[in-house]
Amino acid sequence: MIPDERGYFGEFGGRFVPEVLIPALNELNEAYRWAVDEPSFQEELFRLSRCWSGRPTPLYEAERLSELKGGARIYLKREDLLHTGAHKINNALGQGLLAKKMGKKRIVAETGAGQHGVAAAAVSALLGVECVVYMGEEDIHRQAPNVNRMRLLGAEIKAVRSGSKTLKDAVNEAIRDWVTNVESTFYLLGSAVGPHPYPLMVRDFQSVIGREAREQVLSLRGALPDYVIACVGGGSNAIGIFYPFLKDEQVKLVGVEAGGCGLESGKHAASLAAGKIGVLHGAKSFLLQDEFGQIQSTHSISAGLDYPGVSPEHSYLKNSGRAQYVTVEDHPALDAFHILSKTEGIIPALESSHAIAYALDLVSTLGKDQSIVVNLSGRGDKDMGIVGSILEVNQ
Amino acid sequence: MMRIASVFTEKKHAALIAFITVGYPTLEATLEAVPLLEKCGVDMVELGIPFSDPLADGITIQQASFEALQNGITPAACLDAARFIRKKSNMPLIFMTYYNPVLSYGQELFCADSSRAGIDGLIIPDLPLEEAGALEESTLNHNLDLIYLLAPNSSEARIREVADRSRGFIYLISVTGVTGIRENAPLGLNEFTSKVKKHTDKPLCMGFGISTPEQAAHVSKSVDGVIVGSSIVHIMGTQKQWKPPLSHFIRSLKKAIQTAK
């Protein structure tokens, strides 16, 4: 069984946390195992996923995008259409309901791009619990619209000024808060990282993406796709769409990491492509670290991919060869952002633009009878500020 | 190993254990601080190897770790510091750090080099029992004590296992929280310590949030050792002439522990 009882995906995962959190993780694991088999929990999650989050999301054939490169068919899994604008709501809703069942009155969350923070804030409002979101100061500046949305939804935003002032440091602060308020507080972790059972739980809550996509592509084409492509920061949208395809061995799974300014520049966030195995935020996985085991600062144009670690399950899939991981740099991602906007009338998140960029490269190498499913994990409204400032610079 | 255990034998009062971050504010300060701490009555020193993401630490040690890394401190530099200190002192020395720098160095090699440098034990706050098997083996190979932590919310079963596996002493975390200076003495202290004492005769040392002589005196009545970190690091980092206030502070801690009733 993957993961095993200790939360290991092969050699990756585990629980590397301060002693204080062990009872909390045991409690969470027990509650989660209850929820998996509890019809009333699953029904409530299903009901709210439909009428509150907006599931199921469509699988859309991007014909103009396919024609542009004259190759295979491209299908977009439209997680961008979800409430709050990204796949993050799937997991936030699941964990939020669990927090409520566990009797927790307070939720803490970390956020990078702000999408998980907004999702956590919205779910907290829906469930009537207090919400505190930790966000790096750097990210607060580059994702200002999301900060306002979180405040409007009633969350308290705490600026993180330590370290690189981005997602990694926001996770540190959220964990410190949890350690301190462990009795009252639920840590709503936004990606498939962290100590067991988070990577498992987040993957399960996000697998709805892949389950729907698999059914949809089968009914549209009568066949499985040749490729499934998703961007990878922490890796939750990718594991969510990959997981239900894992046993379909003919389907190639490709995760796209943020190449930033290029791997050789050192300014990137490609943990799988350029990292070494290590331990961060409670799990063993590939990590961007220096020769002394210090975690390195990362760079990506997209705040949501700007993280030095990755889900232990992706590390496992990389080593087992079941999934392949590639990188796309800032500029091609930005180009893809524009191309999708102009050809399909869909503004993708900068995170998802990395997956689109790789799909555009790939599509011209494939035959017309082949097909690609791309997880369009979020919408790009939040990125107008950063893209706007780049446009101004270029004009 | 013998050095740590010897601190607790034939001791009338609780031991005083000091934590400092290696390389903060400078490496020179670390090398000067240890003999001074010993002279003022410290029985054991924890040398903190800085890590970029110290998630069990509060703001004081976070800042110290950050600056120590800016000063170019590496695990190798910490080993050199230990070697230098060991030449002049027979006091037990413990490395406290996070798991990733140890993993990156190589667990077996790290333990071998630590032992050779005169280190007596290791404390790794993000390495709970379940994950510590390999490191435990390496510490045993090289005569290092691997010191485990317990928290007020640890279950009886975990207390039993830590009591069984921890060597040197058992590190009791005074509160559910991170390291740092706190105003109040920990609550429910006796409940916690007596729960642990039911399962072990090993020495118990308490840390996290103990920052004044009053708190140290209060805690010392229930345990075999009192660990003070953030307030020492704070004095060294914020006062240019840190030696006189540090001496004064340590002496007042020592006196408070010795006269605690």
Side-chain angles (χ1 to χ4, degrees):
Chain A
M1 198 182 81
I2 294 289
D4 68 14
E5 271 183 15
R6 293 169 60 221
Y8 273 89
F9 301 85
E11 66 174 300
F12 304 103
R15 258 189 195 173
F16 297 84
V17 294
E19 181 66 25
V20 176
L21 292 183
I22 297 287
L25 290 168
N26 285 338
E27 183 194 359
L28 177 62
N29 194 38
E30 234 169 78
Y32 178 64
R33 279 166 47 187
W34 167 85
V36 167
D37 294 324
E38 173 58 36
S40 69
F41 181 89
Q42 296 298 333
E43 277 159 25
E44 194 174 2
L45 178 59
F46 182 74
R47 182 180 68 83
L48 288 169
S49 299
R50 292 182 75 91
C51 60
W52 187 75
S53 310
R55 300 217 71 88
T57 60
L59 187 73
Y60 166 73
E61 182 172 2
E63 286 181 40
R64 281 181 27 90
L65 195 66
S66 301
E67 278 166 23
L68 201 67
K69 296 281 176 172
R73 291 169 168 231
I74 303 175
Y75 296 87
L76 303 177
K77 180 59 177 164
R78 299 291 309 275
E79 296 296 292
D80 62 311
L81 292 176
L82 282 172
H83 179 44
T84 68
H87 75 289
K88 292 292 185 188
I89 200 74
N90 302 326
N91 169 56
L93 183 61
Q95 285 194 44
L97 286 173
L98 195 58
K100 186 92 178 173
K101 293 284 178 227
M102 290 170 73
K104 304 288 181 183
K105 303 270 183 281
R106 181 173 179 270
I107 279 175
V108 293
E110 81 298 333
T111 198
Q115 290 305 115
H116 174 60
V118 170
V123 167
S124 300
L126 171 74
L127 301 175
V129 295
E130 186 190 341
C131 182
V132 175
V133 179
Y134 289 90
M135 188 169 187
E137 201 169 48
E138 172 84 6
D139 291 336
I140 287 180
H141 294 308
R142 57 179 171 174
Q143 309 275 234
N146 274 344
V147 175
N148 293 332
R149 293 164 78 202
M150 286 185 271
R151 291 204 171 114
L152 182 66
L153 291 161
E156 182 190 348
I157 313 303
K158 292 203 174 176
V160 178
R161 296 186 179 87
S162 55
S164 59
K165 304 180 178 71
T166 60
L167 181 54
K168 156 184 96 87
D169 309 283
V171 175
N172 288 338
E173 275 309 302
I175 292 176
R176 289 185 188 114
D177 182 314
W178 192 29
V179 165
T180 308
N181 303 294
V182 66
E183 289 293 323
S184 65
T185 297
F186 185 99
Y187 179 24
L188 209 173
L189 182 45
S191 195
V193 299
H196 178 64
Y198 282 102
L200 159 73
M201 188 167 68
V202 176
R203 176 251 272 166
D204 288 355
F205 286 134
Q206 293 294 2
S207 307
V208 65
I209 306 171
R211 283 197 305 274
E212 286 176 9
R214 192 173 179 284
E215 254 177 50
Q216 289 164 326
V217 73
L218 281 173
S219 83
L220 280 172
R221 285 181 56 80
L224 289 167
D226 296 283
Y227 286 86
V228 173
I229 298 171
C231 65
V232 177
S236 71
N237 90 80
I239 203 67
I241 197 163
F242 287 178
Y243 188 67
F245 288 98
L246 283 182
K247 286 182 185 149
D248 303 317
E249 280 174 20
Q250 71 274 34
V251 179
K252 297 183 186 72
L253 307 173
V254 185
V256 185
E257 293 190 295
C261 303
L263 292 188
E264 60 292 336
S265 73
K267 292 169 120 184
H268 59 80
S271 334
L272 290 163
K276 282 190 308 190
I277 295 171
V279 167
L280 177 69
H281 296 148
K284 187 183 275 187
S285 198
F286 280 95
L287 276 186
L288 292 171
Q289 53 182 318
D290 69 13
E291 60 182 303
F292 306 111
Q294 307 296 345
I295 309 307
Q296 283 175 316
S297 58
T298 52
H299 164 82
S300 169
I301 192 172
S302 74
L305 301 184
D306 212 346
Y307 182 69
V310 68
S311 165
E313 194 159 10
H314 285 301
S315 291
Y316 172 75
L317 293 175
K318 172 192 154 95
N319 271 12
S320 74
R322 177 61 189 94
Q324 181 199 349
Y325 296 87
V326 299
T327 58
V328 163
E329 295 176 13
D330 286 348
H331 278 284
L334 205 52
D335 290 344
F337 177 91
H338 289 287
I339 292 167
L340 189 68
S341 299
K342 295 219 167 80
T343 56
E344 297 288 351
I346 297 170
I347 303 171
L350 281 173
E351 289 76 13
S352 325
S353 299
H354 287 72
I356 301 290
Y358 183 74
L360 286 172
D361 275 350
L362 180 68
V363 77
S364 51
T365 69
L366 301 177
K368 284 193 190 308
D369 55 333
Q370 292 184 288
S371 64
I372 301 175
V373 171
V374 183
N375 196 6
L376 190 57
S377 56
R379 70 179 86 128
D381 308 38
K382 69 181 176 65
D383 296 313
M384 295 320 297
I386 189 163
V387 174
S389 61
I390 291 167
L391 287 176
E392 273 169 33
V393 170
N394 290 349
Q395 268 165 10
Chain B
M1 201 188 163
M2 298 317 293
R3 268 200 214 101
I4 293 177
S6 68
V7 166
F8 301 103
T9 52
E10 297 167 34
K11 222 170 167 77
K12 277 186 291 192
H13 310 288
L16 177 58
I17 303 167
F19 170 92
I20 56 174
T21 300
V22 178
Y24 180 76
T26 62
L27 188 56
E28 195 189 9
T30 302
L31 300 179
E32 289 175 2
V34 177
L36 184 66
L37 291 167
E38 188 173 16
K39 199 177 102 193
C40 298
V42 164
D43 299 293
M44 205 182 307
V45 168
E46 291 176 14
L47 297 170
I49 302 178
F51 178 51
S52 55
D53 293 76
L55 54 74
D57 283 303
I59 190 72
T60 306
I61 295 173
Q62 280 176 47
Q63 196 60 36
S65 306
F66 180 78
E67 288 192 24
L69 290 173
Q70 299 288 100
N71 292 341
I73 298 300
T74 61
C78 297
L79 285 161
D80 286 342
R83 214 170 286 122
F84 182 89
I85 293 164
R86 178 51 75 219
K87 279 186 197 146
K88 300 177 173 175
S89 169
N90 198 40
M91 182 170 51
L93 298 173
I94 296 166
F95 270 152
M96 183 154 181
T97 190
Y98 288 81
Y99 190 42
N100 202 52
V102 176
L103 199 60
S104 167
Y105 196 98
Q107 306 190 65
E108 186 70 20
L109 186 62
F110 181 80
C111 290
D113 287 355
S114 295
S115 185
R116 271 199 290 271
I119 290 292
D120 303 291
L122 301 182
I123 301 171
I124 316 282
D126 62 343
L127 193 67
L129 291 166
E130 292 81 352
E131 306 291 354
L135 187 64
E136 197 170 301
E137 211 176 297
S138 297
T139 54
L140 283 166
N141 291 342
H142 298 284
N143 288 318
L144 292 172
D145 287 333
L146 183 58
I147 296 154
Y148 286 103
L149 300 93
L150 283 172
N153 60 347
S154 297
S155 68
E156 295 267 345
R158 292 187 72 80
I159 293 173
R160 274 197 299 276
E161 200 177 344
V162 164
D164 184 42
R165 286 168 59 182
S166 195
R167 284 172 286 121
F169 62 85
I170 298 170
Y171 193 132
L172 304 184
I173 299 167
S174 70
V175 289
T176 56
V178 293
T179 62
I181 297 165
R182 286 184 184 81
E183 281 181 13
N184 301 321
L187 296 168
L189 182 65
N190 286 328
E191 199 188 329
F192 181 25
T193 52
S194 46
K195 200 165 74 171
V196 180
K197 281 174 186 169
K198 271 197 297 184
H199 299 287
T200 186
D201 296 327
K202 285 184 182 170
L204 308 180
C205 300
M206 184 167 276
F208 281 46
I210 301 167
S211 43
T212 66
E214 294 72 36
Q215 290 167 344
H218 174 66
V219 168
S220 72
K221 287 181 275 185
S222 322
V223 295
D224 306 291
V226 178
I227 305 165
V228 179
S230 294
S231 44
I232 292 172
V233 171
H234 181 74
I235 290 170
M236 290 179 68
T238 51
Q239 310 213 25
K240 208 161 172 72
Q241 303 294 327
W242 52 266
K243 287 181 198 166
L246 183 63
S247 305
H248 176 77
F249 177 63
I250 298 297
R251 289 203 164 98
S252 64
L253 288 172
K254 188 72 179 181
K255 193 173 162 209
I257 291 171
Q258 284 173 336
T259 57
K261 284 191 191 102

